[in-house]
C-alpha cells in the first residue's frame, strides 16, 4: 500500500521491520508508539523510542514516565547501560516522549530547541532554523509545528538510505485525519512534513510504524 | 524593594521565605530555580521545584534530569515517598522542569496541556483557556507565552493568600530584561503575566525567589 503525501509516496513497513542496519550508524525502534482513542474520549498513547548505534549511542525519545523498567531492560538486552548513551534527544516536551530523561543525567541532552550537559545550557541556532550537526552522518533538524520547538534526528548512510526519527511531526504512516488536530501550527508543520518527505527514505513517526 | 509590574507592585521575598503554611494547603519551595549566564555564552539553569501539601500532595515541576537524588532526599526529609504524590505538574516541557517524571509513574500527571494517568490521556479544556479544577483550593491555569502550552498551579487560602506556582511565566522577581528573550510569544505571555499579577498574592517563578 502506498500513501500519497504531497507528490511523494511512502510505503508503510511491516511490524517486523524495526531495525535498519548501517555504517557507521544503525537505527532500531525499541518501542513502536501508539495513540488509540478510547470509548470515553480519552486516548491510550505512548511515544516511539528509537536507538541509534554507531560511533556513539544515541536515544531518540524516552517514552512516557511508565517506561523506566522497559527502557532499562531494552537497553540491557542490547548490552547497554544508561550511562553508555552519549546523546539523548527528546523530539518535543510532551510527557509521552520525555518521561525518562533522568536515566541519562550525564548524556548530552537535547529537548526541543534546548541543548544541555547537566545544568549547562549551550547556545545554538535551532530556533533560527539551523541544523545541529552531531557528526558527518547524524544531525538534529528543527521540524516545528506539532509544538513550536520540535526536532527530528536524521541518520544518513543506513541500508535503507536516510532515516528520519521524526517524533510527532508524523503521528504515523496514514495520519491525514489526526495530525492537524494535534498540531499547534498546522501550516508550519505542513512545511516541516514536506521537507522531511523530500529528504528521508524512511521516517520513524511518533505513534506508529516506520514508513 | 518593590518592582512595579504594570499597575501592581510585588516585593521580592527573602531567601529564607520558602514555606507558605496554610489550610487546607501549604506550599514549600524545595529548590529555588536559577539561570546564570556564563562567560562562554552558555547558561547554568535549573527550574524551581515546589511541593504543595494538604488534602493531597502535589509536586509542581521536577527540575532537570540531574535532580533525581535531590528530589528523593528532599521528599524523604518531609516524610514522603514518590508514590505519595497524587498529582505531578510540569508547567511546560523544557528539560529543566520535567527531568524526573518517571519518579511518579502512578500520579495524575499534567505536563503543559496534557493530563494523563499512566498512558491514558484525558480530554480537557486547557487549550481552550479553561482552568482545570483540582478541588476548591487548587487549580491548574493555562498561562501560555513562554511556550504555547504553559500552565501554572494556583493555591488559595494560604497564610499569604493566593500563591501561584508559575513556572517560566516569570523568570524571577525582576525579569524585565530576560523573560521576553525566552518567550515564544511575548504578547501572549504579557497577558498571562498581568492576569497572574492581578490574581496572586505571592508568585513562585521558574528561576528565582518567590515574590
Amino acid at each position: 500500500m502506498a500513501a500519497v503525501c504531497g507528490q511523494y509516496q511512502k510505503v508503510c513497513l511491516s511490524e517486523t521491520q524495526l531495525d535498519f542496519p548501517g555504517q557507521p550508524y544503525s537505527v532500531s525502534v525499541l518501542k513502536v508508539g501508539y495513540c488509540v482513542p478510547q470509548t470515553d474520549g480519552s486516548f491510550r498513547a505512548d511515544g516511539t523510542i528509537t536507538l541509534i548505534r554507531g560511533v556513539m549511542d544515541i536515544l531518540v525519545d524516552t517514552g512516557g514516565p511508565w517506561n523506566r523498567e522497559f527502557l532499562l531492560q531494552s537497553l540491557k538486552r542490547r548490552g547497554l547501560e544508561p550511562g553508555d548513551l552519549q546523546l539523548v534527544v527528546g523530539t518535543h516536551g510532551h510527557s509521552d516522549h520525555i518521561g525518562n530523561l533522568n536515566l541519562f543525567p550525564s548524556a548530552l541532552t537535547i529537548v526541543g530547541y534546548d541543548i544541555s550537559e547537566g545544568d549547562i545550557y549551550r547556545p545554538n541556532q535551532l530556533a533560527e532554523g539551523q541544523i545541529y550537526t552531531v557528526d558527518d552522518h547524524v544531525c538534529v533538524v528543527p521540524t516545528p509545528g506539532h509544538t513550536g520547538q520540535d526536532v527530528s534526528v536524521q541518520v544518513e548512510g543506513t541500508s535503507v538510505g536516510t532515516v528520519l526519527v521524526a517524533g510527532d511531526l508524523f503521528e504515523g504512516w496514514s495520519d491525514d485525519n489526526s495530525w492537524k488536530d494535534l498540531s499547534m501550527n498546522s501550516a508550519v508543520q505542513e512545511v516541516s512534513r514536506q521537507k522531511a518527505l523530500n529528504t528521508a527514505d524512511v521516517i520513524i513517526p511518533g505513534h506508529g510504524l516506520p514508513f
Side-chain angles (χ1 to χ4, degrees), chain A:
Chain A
M1 290 189 295
V4 179
C5 303
Q7 57 181 304
Y8 296 90
Q9 292 195 332
K10 298 281 180 192
V11 178
C12 186
L13 303 176
S14 84
E15 288 183 30
T16 56
Q17 202 163 348
L18 300 177
D19 293 291
F20 304 96
Q23 277 294 339
Y25 284 101
S26 300
V27 181
S28 295
V29 176
L30 302 187
K31 186 170 196 174
V32 177
Y34 54 88
C35 185
V36 183
Q38 308 293 297
T39 53
D40 64 355
S42 67
F43 289 82
R44 293 194 85 104
D46 199 359
T48 297
I49 304 172
T50 305
L51 178 66
I52 301 169
R53 299 202 70 175
V55 181
M56 62 173 81
D57 293 315
I58 302 166
L59 192 70
V60 187
D61 283 335
T62 67
W66 53 88
N67 282 306
R68 185 173 190 275
E69 284 308 312
F70 168 84
L71 256 175
L72 287 170
Q73 291 305 316
S74 191
L75 293 172
K76 192 174 185 181
R77 279 198 300 275
R78 287 161 179 82
L80 289 169
E81 297 293 325
D84 296 329
L85 278 293
Q86 288 149 287
L87 171 60
V88 173
V89 178
T91 56
H92 62 292
H94 284 167
S95 54
D96 52 338
H97 294 259
I98 46 69
N100 295 283
L101 295 176
N102 67 0
L103 283 174
F104 316 98
S106 60
L108 179 67
T109 301
I110 301 178
V111 175
Y113 293 175
D114 288 329
I115 302 179
S116 55
E117 288 182 272
D119 72 344
I120 303 279
Y121 283 74
R122 306 262 178 227
N124 68 77
Q125 271 77 54
L126 288 166
E128 286 77 50
Q130 297 298 307
I131 286 169
Y132 176 81
T133 300
V134 176
D135 62 23
D136 286 348
H137 292 83
V138 176
C139 64
V140 178
V141 186
T143 51
H146 176 68
T147 73
Q149 300 176 326
D150 298 66
V151 294
S152 299
V153 180
Q154 183 173 305
V155 185
E156 294 175 18
T158 79
S159 59
V160 292
T162 296
V163 175
L164 189 74
V165 190
D168 289 359
L169 179 61
F170 296 88
E171 289 292 303
W173 164 63
S174 177
D175 64 0
D176 280 351
N177 293 325
S178 62
W179 74 268
K180 285 186 183 174
D181 292 341
L182 300 164
S183 179
M184 287 182 61
N185 190 325
S186 58
V188 167
Q189 190 169 343
E190 181 63 49
V191 172
S192 298
R193 284 164 64 97
Q194 287 302 321
K195 280 187 193 167
L197 290 163
N198 285 355
T199 307
D201 297 296
V202 167
I203 289 173
I204 296 176
H207 297 276
L209 290 167
F211 59 91

